[in-house]
C-alpha cells in the first residue's frame, strides 16, 4: 500500500487504521497460523535451537487457527462479475496500451471452488497441469502449430495463474504477429476449437500416463537448487499440504491413491498410475476443468500499441490506458459455434518417443546421496574436483580438440555436449549480426515441432552464433541424447532450407520479432542504458555491435540475404568440444565423430582461427583528473529517472588482483547502498559489483534517481568513493578482513550442485583457452593470504591511481522530463583520438562510440 490507500483512503471511509490493524492482529496473529522453513547446512539440533531462540516470543493461540483469514471474504464475491468487479470480465474484452511494443491476447477463466472436493482435486490431482499440457503443446498437430501456419502467432502458453482460497484462474497467453492482431477473433475461435475437442473427444489415456511419467522423472532426478528458493517453496507448501507432502505436494501429480482420499505415502518414483481408479479420478478432474473453459466465462484481454490514443480509461496507480467493451453477440456466437479441430488439422499429441527407457536411466558411476556430517561437508569442500581431460587433439592445423569428463559426482543419467565451430566471419558486420539473430529465431521456431517432446523430458538444444563461431549445446538424459543431437545438427547444417522462411511473408514475421526486441531497448530503465553504454566501451566492435547499428541493419536485410548467409555458416572452421556427464570416453568420441560427419566442415589453418576477446583498455587519467565520460539522453520520454555509473577497470590478471577487487565490492556494496539509498534516499536502485571481461575485472557503482539530476548522482557517487578509504577501509581490523575473505573462500569452495553448472564452468575455461579448471581453488588460496595492507595498496593503485593514474569511466543517462531532467546532452562531442580535456579525460556522446572503439583497438 501507500499513503493514499493506507491513510487517506481509510480516513475517507471513517476507518481507524490502527484500531483495525490491532483487531486483525488480535484475531489472527498466532504461531498456529504460520509456517517456517529453514534450509541451512547446520545440524538439526543447532537449527532447532536457533529457531526456538529467534521465534519463541511469537504468541500461540491454537483457537485462532480455526479462523483462517480468508473466511472473511472467501466465496462472498464472485470474480469478474459485473457490479462487483472493477473490470466486468465475463463477455467483455479489455484493450490495454503497453509500455513496450507488445501484441498479446490473454484468455482467463475464474475456476470457482463449489466444494471441498474441488479444492482437493486441484491440490492433489492437479487437472490444470494436463489441460495446460494439451493447450500449450507445440508439436505437430498442436493448436500453436495451426496458428503459426496461419501466420497469426509467435508463441502460446497455458497454465494456472492466480490461486486464492475460493478460486483460481486458468489462463492462455498468446503472443501475436502483426497479421494476428488483425484477426483476434479468429485466433480466439481456434483456441475454443481445441477446447471443444477436449470437451467432446476423449483424451487418450497415454497422454495422462506420459504427463505423470515425465513428472515422476523430474521427481526422481530432482537436483539441488538454491537454499532461498527451496525455503520459499517449502514455507508455502506447509500452508497447503499435510506434513508428509511438504516436499512432494507441489512437485508430484496424482497424490490421492483412490477416491477414498488416502494420500500418496511413498517417496519412491512411479512409472505410472498405481491403479485404474487413480487414473480415472485424474481424468474426471481434468474433464471437469475443461467443462468450465466456456465462452461465457472467459475474460479476454488484448494488449497492443495500436490502442494508443483510442482508449477511454486510465488505471489509477500505474497510469495504464485501456478500454473495456462488451463482446458483440455475433462474436460470442462465432466462438460458441467454432470450427471442429479436425477441419483445422488439429489433433491430440502423438506418443512421446523421447521418454527414456528404464535401461537408459542407468548411472555408470553410482553416487551415494547420504546425509553428511559437518566435518564431511568441510572435507568435501576442500577436495579438488577432477578437471576434464583432453581426449582428442588433432594438432594446430587439425580438425578437433575434444575435452571429456565422466560424471562421478552427481549420479544422474544425464550428459551435456558443447560443440563450437571456430570461424571468423559469422559476426563480421552489423548485417551479419542481425542475420545471425534471424537464423537463431528461425532455427528454434522450425525445429520446435520435433524438439518439443524432447524438451518435455529434459532434452535440450541451443544454437548460438558468437563472435568466434557457431556453438551447439545439447543436454539432458543421455539415453537418447546422441540421436536427438544428430537430427538437430543435420537440420542446422545440411537441411538448412527446411529451417528458413518459406516466403517473404514468413520472413517478415521473423524479422518483426527482431525489430521489436531491438526497439524494446528504448523502454529499459535508465540505469540499464548507463550499464549498456559503459559495456560497449570495454568491448571490441566485433564483439558487440550497438543497438542503433543492429536496428539499421535489420531494416536492410532480405530473405535472399539470410539464405546466402546460412549456406556459408557451417562451411569451414575448427572444432572445439566438451562432453561431460553419464557417458564414457568411447561414447564421447563417438558423439564427436557423429557430429563431425554431420557438420562436414572444411578445416581451417591455425592462423585462421578467430582471436580471443581482449577487452579495450581505458586510457589512464591522472589521480586528480575527471573520469572519462559518456553521457546520453534517456530514449524513453516518459521515464523521468536519471542514472549514473562509475566503473574502475583493473587490467591485472593475477588471482590476487581478482580477489582483491571482490573484497572491495564485499566491503563497500552495503555501505554504498546505506549511504545513497537509505540515508540520502536518492533512489531505489543503488548497487555496487564486479564484472569480469576475459581475464580483467571491473568494479562499478551505480545509482538511479527520479528526484535529483545525473550530475548530482555522479557527485554523490564520487564523494562516496573518495571518502571510502578513510571511512571504511582504514578502520578495518585484520579480524574483519578475515570475515570478508572467509565468506568469499566459502563461496569458491562451495561444490557445484548441478551437472550443467560444472559443465558450463569447464566450458568457459575451454572456450577462452585459459584452461584454469582449478581457478576457484586458486583464488581461495589467494584469499587466505590477503591482509589489510593488500586492500589499501590495491585501492590506492586501482581506484585512486596514486602510482600511475587510474582507468575510470563515468556513464550517465539524462531524462528528457521530470524533476531529475537537465539539458539534453549532445549526441556527439566531435570526438577524435585527440579529444582529451584539460584533465586528461575523454568526453563522449552516444554517436562517438564507434570512433572511440576504433581508436582504442588501434592504440591499445
Amino acid at each position: 500500500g501507500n499513503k493514499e490507500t493506507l491513510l487517506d483512503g481509510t480516513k475517507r471511509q471513517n476507518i481507524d487504521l490502527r484500531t483495525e490493524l490491532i483487531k486483525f492482529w488480535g484475531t489472527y496473529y498466532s504461531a498456529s497460523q504460520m509456517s517456517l522453513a529453514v534450509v541451512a547446512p547446520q545440524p538439526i539440533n543447532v537449527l532447532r535451537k536457533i529457531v526456538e531462540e529467534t521465534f519463541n516470543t511469537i504468541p500461540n493461540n491454537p483457537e485462532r487457527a480455526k479462523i483462517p483469514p480468508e473466511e472473511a471474504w472467501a466465496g462472498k464475491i464472485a470474480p469478474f462479475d459485473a457490479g462487483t468487479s472493477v473490470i466486468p470480465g465475463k463477455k467483455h474484452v479489455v484493450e490495454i496500451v503497453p509500455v513496450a511494443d507488445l501484441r498479446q491476447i490473454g484468455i482467463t477463466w475464474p475456476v470457482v471452488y463449489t466444494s471441498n472436493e474441488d479444492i482437493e482435486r486441484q491440490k492433489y490431482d492437479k487437472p490444470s497441469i494436463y489441460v495446460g499440457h494439451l493447450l500449450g503443446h507445440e508439436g505437430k498437430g498442436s493448436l500453436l502449430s495451426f496458428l503459426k501456419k496461419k501466420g497469426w502467432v509467435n508463441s502460446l502458453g497455458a497454465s494456472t495463474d492466480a490461486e486464492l482460497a475460493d478460486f483460481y484462474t486458468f489462463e492462455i497467453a498468446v503472443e501475436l504477429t502483426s497479421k494476428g492482431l488483425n484477426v483476434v477473433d479468429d485466433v480466439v475461435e481456434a483456441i475454443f476449437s481445441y477446447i471443444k475437442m477436449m470437451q467432446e473427444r476423449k483424451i487418450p489415456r497415454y497422454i495422462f500416463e506420459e504427463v505423470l511419467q515425465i513428472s515422476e522423472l523430474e521427481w526422481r532426478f530432482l537436483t539441488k537448487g538454491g537454499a532461498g528458493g527451496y525455503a520459499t517453496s517449502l514455507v508455502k507448501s506447509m500452508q497447503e499440504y499435510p506434513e508428509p507432502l511438504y516436499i512432494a505436494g507441489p512437485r508430484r501429480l496424482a497424490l490421492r491413491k483412490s477416491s477414498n482420499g488416502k494420500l500418496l505415502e511413498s517417496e519412491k518414483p512411479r512409472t505410472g498410475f498405481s491403479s485404474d481408479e487413480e487414473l480415472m479420478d485424474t481424468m474426471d478432474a481434468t474433464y471437469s476443468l475443461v467443462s468450465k473453459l466456456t465462452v461465457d466465462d472467459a475474460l479476454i484481454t488484448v494488449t497492443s500499441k495500436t490502442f494508443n490514443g483510442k482508449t477511454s480509461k486510465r488505471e489509477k496507480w500505474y497510469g495504464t490506458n485501456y478500454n473495456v467493451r462488451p463482446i458483440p453477440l455475433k462474436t460470442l456466437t462465432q466462438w460458441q459455434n467454432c470450427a471442429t479441430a479436425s477441419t483445422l488439422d488439429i489433433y491430440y499429441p502423438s506418443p512421446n518417443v523421447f521418454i527414456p527407457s528404464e535401461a537408459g536411466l542407468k548411472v555408470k558411476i553410482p553416487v551415494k546421496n547420504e546425509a553428511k556430517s559437518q566435518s564431511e561437508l568441510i572435507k568435501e569442500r576442500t577436495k579438488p574436483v577432477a578437471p576434464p581431460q583432453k581426449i582428442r587433439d588433432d594438432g594446430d592445423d587439425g580438425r578437433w580438440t575434444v575435452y571429456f569428463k565422466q560424471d562421478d559426482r552427481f549420479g544422474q543419467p544425464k550428459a551435456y555436449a558443447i560443440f563450437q565451430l571456430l570461424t571468423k566471419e559469422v559476426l563480421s558486420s552489423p548485417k551479419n549480426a542481425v542475420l545471425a539473430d534471424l537464423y537463431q529465431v528461425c532455427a528454434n521456431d522450425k525445429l520446435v515441432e520435433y524438439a518439443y517432446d524432447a524438451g518435455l523430458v529434459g532434452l535440450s538444444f541451443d544454437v548460438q552464433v558468437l563472435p568466434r563461431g557457431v556453438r551447439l549445446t545439447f543436454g539432458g538424459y543421455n539415453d537418447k541424447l546422441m540421436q536427438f543431437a544428430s537430427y538437430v545438427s543435420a537440420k542446422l547444417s545440411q537441411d538448412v532450407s527446411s529451417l528458413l522462411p518459406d516466403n517473404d511473408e514468413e520472413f517478415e514475421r521473423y524479422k518483426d520479432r527482431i525489430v521489436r526486441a531491438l526497439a524494446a531497448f528504448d523502454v529499459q530503465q535508465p540505469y540499464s542504458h548507463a550499464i549498456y553504454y559503459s559495456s560497449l566501451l570495454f568491448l571490441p566492435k566485433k564483439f558487440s555491435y550497438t543497438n542503433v547499428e543492429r536496428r539499421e541493419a535489420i531494416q536492410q536485410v532480405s530473405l535472399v540475404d539470410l539464405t546466402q548467409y546460412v549456406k556459408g555458416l557451417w562451411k569451414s572452421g575448427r572444432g572445439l568440444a566438451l562432453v561431460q556427464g553419464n557417458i564414457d570416453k568411447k561414447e564421447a568420441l563417438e558423439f564427436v565423430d557423429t557430429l563431425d560427419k554431420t557438420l562436414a566442415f572444411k578445416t581451417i589453418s591455425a592462423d585462421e582461427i578467430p582471436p580471443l576477446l581482449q577487452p579495450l583498455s581505458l586510457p589512464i587519467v591522472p589521480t586528480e583528473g575527471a573520469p572519462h565520460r559518456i553521457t546520453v539522453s534517456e530514449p524513453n520520454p516518459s521515464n523521468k529517472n536519471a542514472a549514473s555509473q562509475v566503473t574502475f577497470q583493473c587490467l591485472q590478471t593475477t588471482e590476487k588482483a581478482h580477489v582483491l577487487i571482490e573484497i572491495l565490492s564485499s566491503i563497500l556494496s552495503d555501505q554504498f547502498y546505506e549511504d545513497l539509498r537509505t540515508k540520502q534516499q536518492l533512489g531505489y536502485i543503488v548497487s555496487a559489483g564486479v564484472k569480469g571481461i576475459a581475464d580483467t575485472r571491473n568494479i562499478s557503482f551505480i545509482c538511479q534517481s527520479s528526484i535529483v539530476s545525473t550530475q548530482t548522482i555522479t557527485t554523490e557517487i564520487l564523494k562516496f568513493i573518495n571518502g571510502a578509504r578513510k571511512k571504511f577501509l582504514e578502520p578495518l581490523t585484520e579480524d574483519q578482513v578475515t570475515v570478508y575473505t572467509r565468506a568469499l573462500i566459502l563461496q569458491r569452495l562451495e561444490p557445484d550442485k548441478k551437472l550443467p553448472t560444472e559443465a558450463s564452468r569447464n566450458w568457459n575455461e575451454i572456450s577462452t583457452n585459459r584452461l584454469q579448471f582449478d581457478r576457484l581453488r586458486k583464488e581461495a588460496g589467494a584469499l587466505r593470504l590477503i591482509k589489510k595492507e593488500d586492500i589499501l595498496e590495491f585501492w590506492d593503485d586501482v581506484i585512486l591511481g596514486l602510482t600511475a593514474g587510474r582507468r575510470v569511466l563515468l556513464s550517465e543517462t539524462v531524462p528528457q522530463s521530470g524533476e531529475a531532467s537537465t539539458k539534453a546532452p549532445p549526441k556527439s562531442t566531435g570526438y577524435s583520438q585527440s579529444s582529451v580535456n584539460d584533465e586528461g579525460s575523454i568526453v563522449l556522446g552516444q554517436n562517438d562510440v564507434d570512433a572511440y572503439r576504433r581508436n582504442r583497438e588501434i592504440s591499445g
Side-chain angles (χ1 to χ4, degrees):
N2 56 25
K3 180 174 178 291
E4 168 62 23
T5 59
L6 295 177
L7 185 60
D8 299 340
T10 53
K11 283 183 177 179
R12 283 194 298 270
Q13 298 176 65
N14 294 318
I15 296 173
D16 186 321
L17 183 61
R18 185 174 185 276
T19 300
E20 290 298 318
L21 186 60
I22 292 172
K23 180 181 177 182
F24 183 91
W25 181 89
T27 305
Y28 301 113
Y29 192 83
S30 170
S32 56
Q33 290 273 32
M34 305 174 188
S35 57
L36 172 67
V38 179
V39 179
Q42 289 81 8
I44 292 295
N45 61 323
V46 174
L47 293 178
R48 182 181 291 113
K49 183 179 179 182
I50 293 171
V51 168
E52 290 173 351
E53 291 175 351
T54 305
F55 298 100
N56 65 358
T57 58
I58 295 177
N60 185 41
N61 183 350
E63 290 299 313
R64 294 179 184 175
K66 300 175 181 178
I67 315 172
E70 64 267 22
E71 191 177 88
W73 51 265
K76 297 180 180 179
I77 301 176
F80 305 145
D81 273 3
T84 60
S85 174
V86 175
I87 297 175
K90 297 177 181 179
K91 300 182 183 180
H92 284 73
V93 60
V94 182
E95 298 167 336
I96 302 169
V97 180
V99 174
D101 187 10
L102 304 176
R103 295 190 293 260
Q104 296 176 341
I105 297 174
I107 308 178
T108 304
W109 291 270
V111 182
V112 180
Y113 298 130
T114 58
S115 66
N116 284 333
E117 174 58 20
D118 284 349
I119 297 173
E120 299 286 291
R121 273 185 164 182
Q122 175 58 14
K123 184 188 299 185
Y124 297 120
D125 299 335
K126 299 182 176 64
S128 57
I129 298 293
Y130 301 91
V131 177
H133 169 79
L134 289 168
L135 282 167
H137 206 277
E138 299 180 16
K140 192 174 181 180
S142 64
L143 172 60
L144 178 62
S145 179
F146 166 76
L147 292 171
K148 278 185 175 180
K149 287 174 184 175
K150 300 292 287 187
W152 292 347
V153 312
N154 291 320
S155 64
L156 180 150
S159 65
T160 56
D161 187 22
E163 293 187 74
L164 283 80
D166 54 347
F167 78 97
Y168 68 93
T169 59
F170 187 85
E171 181 177 23
I172 297 175
V174 182
E175 182 196 344
L176 297 167
T177 63
S178 55
K179 183 179 179 181
L181 187 61
N182 295 322
V183 290
V184 167
D185 292 350
D186 293 332
V187 174
V188 175
E189 180 186 356
I191 292 170
F192 279 113
S193 292
Y194 200 99
I195 292 171
K196 182 178 182 180
M197 177 178 72
M198 291 194 294
Q199 292 171 339
E200 296 180 352
R201 286 182 51 201
K202 186 177 181 181
I203 300 171
R205 174 178 178 138
Y206 66 79
I207 288 177
F208 291 95
E209 292 172 336
E210 285 184 355
V211 172
L212 177 69
Q213 195 173 352
I214 291 168
S215 172
E216 290 296 293
L217 264 178
E218 293 175 0
W219 170 254
R220 179 176 177 178
F221 299 108
L222 197 63
T223 55
K224 290 182 179 180
Y230 187 36
T232 301
S233 70
L234 284 175
V235 82
K236 183 175 184 291
S237 180
M238 291 165 70
Q239 292 280 347
E240 299 173 355
Y241 293 92
E243 185 174 339
L245 295 177
Y246 282 170
I247 298 174
R251 294 172 174 83
R252 302 181 75 181
L253 305 177
L255 296 170
R256 295 191 297 181
K257 298 183 75 172
S258 62
S259 56
N260 64 16
K262 189 176 181 180
L263 299 179
L264 184 70
E265 295 174 350
S266 173
E267 294 183 1
K268 186 178 179 181
R270 300 165 289 178
T271 56
F273 289 94
S274 59
S275 65
D276 282 345
E277 184 183 12
E278 189 177 83
L279 171 62
M280 291 301 111
D281 286 346
T282 297
M283 294 178 72
D284 289 345
T286 302
Y287 289 128
S288 175
L289 172 56
V290 169
S291 71
K292 297 173 182 177
L293 306 185
T294 65
V295 172
D296 288 344
D297 286 334
L299 164 63
I300 313 293
T301 60
V302 183
T303 305
S304 170
K305 282 279 193 183
T306 59
F307 298 130
N308 197 20
K310 303 174 185 178
T311 57
S312 58
K313 297 179 181 293
R314 187 177 178 85
E315 196 275 329
K316 182 176 181 179
W317 302 111
Y318 292 97
T320 302
N321 294 314
Y322 69 99
N323 279 327
V324 178
R325 61 176 179 81
I327 300 171
L329 180 60
K330 179 182 177 181
T331 304
L332 293 171
T333 303
Q334 173 191 344
W335 295 344
Q336 288 166 339
N337 299 317
C338 57
T340 60
S342 58
T343 63
L344 305 179
D345 199 26
I346 291 174
Y347 44 85
Y348 290 126
S350 300
N352 190 335
V353 299
F354 289 104
I355 294 176
S357 65
E358 191 60 33
L361 293 173
K362 184 180 179 181
V363 175
K364 296 180 185 298
I365 303 179
V367 176
K368 293 182 179 180
N369 293 315
E370 298 174 343
K372 296 177 182 177
S373 66
Q374 192 74 6
S375 60
E376 288 174 322
L377 289 171
I378 293 172
K379 186 177 180 181
E380 183 180 345
R381 284 175 182 267
T382 57
K383 181 182 178 183
V385 176
Q389 301 298 311
K390 190 185 293 186
I391 60 170
R392 176 174 172 181
D393 186 352
D394 297 344
D396 290 343
D397 292 322
R399 191 166 180 81
W400 282 95
T401 302
V402 180
Y403 289 84
F404 161 73
K405 182 181 178 184
Q406 184 168 1
D407 176 45
D408 60 357
R409 298 184 62 238
F410 301 99
Q412 296 206 333
K414 296 181 180 181
Y416 292 85
I418 307 172
F419 305 90
Q420 185 158 338
L421 183 65
L422 299 172
T423 181
K424 274 185 177 179
E425 300 301 317
V426 290
L427 287 185
S428 58
S429 67
K431 179 182 179 180
N432 278 0
V434 297
L435 288 172
D437 292 339
L438 281 166
Y439 170 64
Q440 290 165 184
V441 169
C442 292
N444 282 290
D445 194 60
K446 292 285 188 174
L447 283 167
V448 72
E449 287 194 1
Y450 170 80
Y452 185 75
D453 273 349
L456 289 176
V457 297
L459 287 174
S460 65
F461 84 93
D462 179 55
V463 56
Q464 286 191 1
V465 183
L466 304 167
R468 301 189 68 234
V470 195
R471 185 173 72 199
L472 282 172
T473 304
F474 302 98
Y477 295 105
N478 55 276
D479 181 32
K480 299 175 181 177
L481 183 63
M482 195 182 302
Q483 166 195 340
F484 174 67
S486 180
Y487 178 91
V488 170
S489 58
K491 282 288 184 180
L492 290 168
S493 60
Q494 295 178 4
D495 190 14
V496 291
S497 60
S498 68
L499 303 185
L500 296 178
D502 296 326
N503 49 54
D504 286 331
E505 180 182 345
E506 188 176 22
F507 173 78
E508 290 299 321
R509 176 166 72 86
Y510 290 124
K511 181 176 170 180
D512 173 70
R513 291 171 65 176
I514 306 297
V515 169
R516 288 190 298 120
L518 290 169
F521 170 82
D522 291 347
V523 294
Q524 291 177 3
Q525 287 294 316
Y527 79 91
S528 295
H529 293 140
I531 294 171
Y532 167 77
Y533 281 103
S534 173
S535 67
L536 285 177
L537 301 183
F538 292 105
L539 295 173
K541 183 177 176 67
K542 289 186 179 181
F543 280 82
S544 182
Y545 296 104
T546 68
N547 181 268
V548 171
E549 288 174 323
R550 286 173 174 265
R551 285 163 88 158
E552 291 173 351
I554 192 65
Q555 298 299 336
Q556 307 302 320
V557 298
S558 65
L559 178 54
V560 173
D561 294 325
L562 179 61
T563 303
Q564 187 175 4
Y565 174 78
V566 173
K567 284 181 178 179
L569 198 59
W570 301 92
K571 276 190 174 180
S572 62
R574 176 180 171 84
L576 184 64
L578 168 68
V579 182
Q580 182 170 345
N582 188 46
I583 192 168
D584 60 34
K585 180 179 177 179
K586 180 182 177 182
E587 291 169 328
L589 288 170
E590 182 185 347
F591 206 145
V592 175
D593 285 341
T594 300
L595 264 289
D596 185 37
K597 291 173 184 176
T598 302
L599 298 178
F601 57 87
K602 178 183 176 183
T603 308
I604 61 175
S605 62
D607 58 1
E608 294 178 282
I609 295 175
L612 293 161
L613 169 62
Q614 294 294 331
L616 302 179
S617 61
L618 290 172
I620 294 174
V621 295
T623 301
E624 300 300 327
H628 303 299
R629 185 174 83 243
I630 181 167
T631 306
V632 303
S633 184
E634 166 56 36
N636 182 1
S638 64
N639 195 313
K640 300 177 181 180
N641 288 285
S644 180
Q645 180 194 42
V646 177
T647 301
F648 294 88
Q649 184 182 38
C650 175
L651 297 181
Q652 301 173 37
T653 60
T654 64
E655 285 90 6
K656 183 177 180 179
H658 289 171
V659 300
L660 279 168
I661 203 166
E662 289 209 38
I663 291 170
L664 287 180
S665 177
S666 298
I667 294 170
L668 296 178
S669 57
D670 287 346
Q671 301 292 351
F672 182 60
Y673 184 89
E674 173 73 14
D675 187 348
L676 273 69
R677 169 70 188 100
T678 307
K679 292 180 180 177
Q680 298 191 54
Q681 298 189 8
L682 296 185
Y684 287 102
I685 297 171
V686 178
S687 66
V690 175
K691 179 181 180 180
I693 304 177
D695 225 12
T696 69
R697 299 291 184 269
N698 296 343
I699 183 170
S700 297
F701 301 83
I702 192 164
C703 176
Q704 177 171 297
S705 175
S706 62
I707 60 173
V708 298
S709 67
T710 300
Q711 184 177 0
T712 300
I713 300 172
T714 298
T715 299
E716 293 303 323
I717 294 176
L718 293 175
K719 180 180 176 182
F720 172 86
I721 293 168
N722 291 334
R725 190 189 203 277
K726 183 176 181 179
K727 192 172 182 180
F728 305 116
L729 302 182
E730 292 177 7
L732 285 171
T733 65
E734 292 295 349
D735 286 344
Q736 289 173 320
V737 170
T738 300
V739 171
Y740 287 112
T741 58
R742 178 175 169 77
L744 292 172
I745 289 170
L746 290 174
Q747 286 180 14
R748 278 156 174 74
L749 296 182
E750 178 70 26
D752 292 321
K753 293 182 173 64
K754 298 180 181 180
L755 174 60
T757 304
E758 184 182 296
S760 296
R761 184 167 51 77
N762 287 333
W763 175 253
N764 185 54
E765 296 297 329
I766 294 166
S767 63
T768 58
N769 202 35
R770 294 195 293 262
L771 305 178
Q772 295 179 21
F773 299 109
D774 59 348
R775 173 185 301 276
L776 297 178
R777 191 163 297 276
K778 284 183 176 180
E779 290 184 356
L783 280 162
R784 291 189 179 97
L785 303 176
I786 297 300
K787 303 296 181 184
K788 174 183 173 180
E789 180 183 357
D790 298 313
I791 298 171
L792 293 175
E793 286 180 359
F794 187 80
W795 180 267
D796 292 343
D797 181 25
V798 175
I799 308 301
L800 299 184
L802 297 182
T803 306
R806 56 185 180 172
R807 303 177 191 273
V808 55
L809 173 66
L810 169 62
S811 181
E812 300 175 320
T813 308
V814 179
Q816 299 181 40
S817 61
E819 190 177 347
S821 65
T822 54
K823 182 181 177 181
K827 290 192 174 182
S828 174
T829 63
Y831 168 80
S832 67
Q833 193 168 7
S834 60
S835 296
V836 179
N837 63 23
D838 294 338
E839 296 177 309
S841 58
I842 297 168
V843 180
L844 304 172
Q846 67 186 69
N847 290 352
D848 299 319
V849 171
D850 193 36
Y852 170 83
R853 295 203 290 183
R854 279 201 309 269
N855 285 336
R856 293 312 298 165
E857 287 186 53
I858 295 170
S859 58

